Amino acid sequence: MSLLVVGSVALDSVETPHARRDDVLGGSAVYFSYAASYFTPPRLVGVVGEDWPKAHTSLLDERGIDTSGLQVQPGGQTFRWRGKYLPNMNDRETLEVHLNVFEHFDPTLPDQYRDSQYVFLANGAPTTQLRVLEQIHRPRLVMADTMDLWINIQTDELRALLKKIDGLVLNDSEAILLTDDENLVRAGKRTLEMGPKFVVIKKGEHGAMFFSRDATYVLPAFPTEEVVDPTGAGDSFAGGMMGYLASENPAEFTPHVLKTAIAYGTLVASFNVEDFSLDRMVSIQRADLDGRMRQYQQMLSL
Ligand code: AMP
């Protein structure tokens, strides 16, 4: 089934306690679409500037990602983000953000994308996320991501968005900020009351919590020793999750189906953090994910 992602396409500079990389391929829509491409060929909508290396588009094309919605703005510069990870590799500081062409990103979807059945509104202004949603005819499943900035400065628009989507993914500190509740179980349930049918709270190396009207559960992260660069963990998680759902296109989004999807999201993210940029994901195949799934299932069986 068709899967659409709309979000940032970036050149990231990342510093960890052990190494650094400058101007590498990144952005929420890039991580999401690459992760989803193990399951189904996604459609990507984003914007870049003239400085965008064509080789990056080729890398996405080679995975079957439809990049016809990636607009190159003449005379513009690509969105740039610079971040630094603390020694625990979970917490990070944003050192620089240059929105550049992303500042006025107000996508008009290509006609052939408007029938998309599965839609991911990656982290962005809720006003933009709402406008994208209005352009899609009858999606089966819409999920969105958000961040502290939007919770703080576009609270009303975010509340309006939450009434129109099926699933929200956000991290623990964002859930606390959104609901003003430090207890994550209550925070998850309060987020549900704001409109979505389900909520996934990501807790980095501590896994993910799921909330719907019928079920609450927690899945651990896959324990990996090799955490090189956590950038894109959240987006690759969402990409694995929605890629799986779009490829299965289940009759109903039961808590059980969503649990398998969250498990696949967890596993793609666990590979993604093992190297900078998309480097680790580039080196794996679907069979590697399925191999890790068998280990994960064994780990969880009681
Ligand atoms: P994650 O680690 O999953 O939160 O995603 C990190 C990615 O998000 C990086 O590749 C950044 O380029 C991108 N990013 C950082 N800040 C923003 C922002 N304000 N809006 C959209 N994307 C962003």
Side-chain angles (χ1 to χ4, degrees), residues 8 10 12 26-28 31 79 81 85 92 97 99 102 123-124 147 149-150 230-236:
S8 63
D12 289 340
S28 55
Y31 279 110
F79 171 66
W81 173 80
Y85 287 88
R92 77 177 173 211
V97 177
L99 290 173
F102 194 55
N123 181 17
M147 70 187 288
L149 173 72
W150 310 121
T231 309
D235 301 305
S236 55

Side-chain angles (χ1 to χ4, degrees), residues 13-197:
S13 295
V14 180
E15 296 173 27
T16 73
H18 315 289
R20 65 179 279 172
R21 291 285 187 281
D22 286 309
D23 289 337
V24 294
L25 174 60
S28 55
V30 168
Y31 279 110
F32 178 95
S33 57
Y34 208 91
S37 72
Y38 296 102
F39 304 92
T40 194
R43 301 163 166 178
L44 183 155
V45 169
V47 65
V48 291
E50 267 183 4
D51 54 344
W52 177 249
K54 288 201 178 65
H56 290 344
T57 308
S58 307
L59 185 81
L60 304 177
D61 289 339
E62 280 158 22
R63 284 279 331 161
I65 297 164
D66 180 348
T67 55
S68 54
L70 181 63
Q71 187 200 330
V72 182
Q73 201 158 298
Q77 293 282 304
T78 301
F79 171 66
R80 277 180 169 73
W81 173 80
R82 178 182 291 277
K84 180 179 176 174
Y85 287 88
L86 303 185
N88 68 15
M89 292 296 268
N90 256 335
D91 299 320
R92 77 177 173 211
E93 230 180 292
T94 290
L95 301 177
E96 281 175 52
V97 177
H98 300 282
L99 290 173
N100 297 332
V101 294
F102 194 55
E103 183 166 4
H104 301 292
F105 180 54
D106 188 9
T108 301
L109 298 189
D111 283 345
Q112 71 272 22
Y113 283 8
R114 291 176 192 242
D115 63 352
S116 296
Q117 292 290 290
Y118 288 76
V119 179
F120 186 63
L121 305 168
N123 181 17
T127 42
T128 312
Q129 292 173 311
L130 280 164
R131 274 200 300 271
V132 168
L133 204 46
E134 280 164 11
Q135 297 174 53
I136 299 166
H137 295 318
R138 282 165 165 265
R140 264 209 80 196
L141 186 80
V142 179
M143 285 174 55
D145 188 5
T146 194
M147 70 187 288
D148 47 2
L149 173 72
W150 310 121
I151 297 171
N152 285 324
I153 71 168
Q154 283 201 11
T155 317
D156 292 345
E157 294 84 351
L158 180 62
R159 291 285 188 134
L161 179 77
L162 293 182
K163 293 193 169 49
K164 295 188 174 179
I165 60 173
D166 300 289
L168 179 71
V169 289
L170 74 179
N171 65 33
D172 41 7
S173 59
E174 293 158 355
I176 292 168
L177 181 67
L178 178 65
T179 58
D180 200 18
D181 197 325
E182 293 275 340
N183 178 295
L184 285 181
V185 179
R186 281 197 307 260
K189 292 186 174 172
R190 286 196 179 165
T191 308
L192 265 187
E193 286 164 12
M194 296 178 190
K197 296 189 188 82

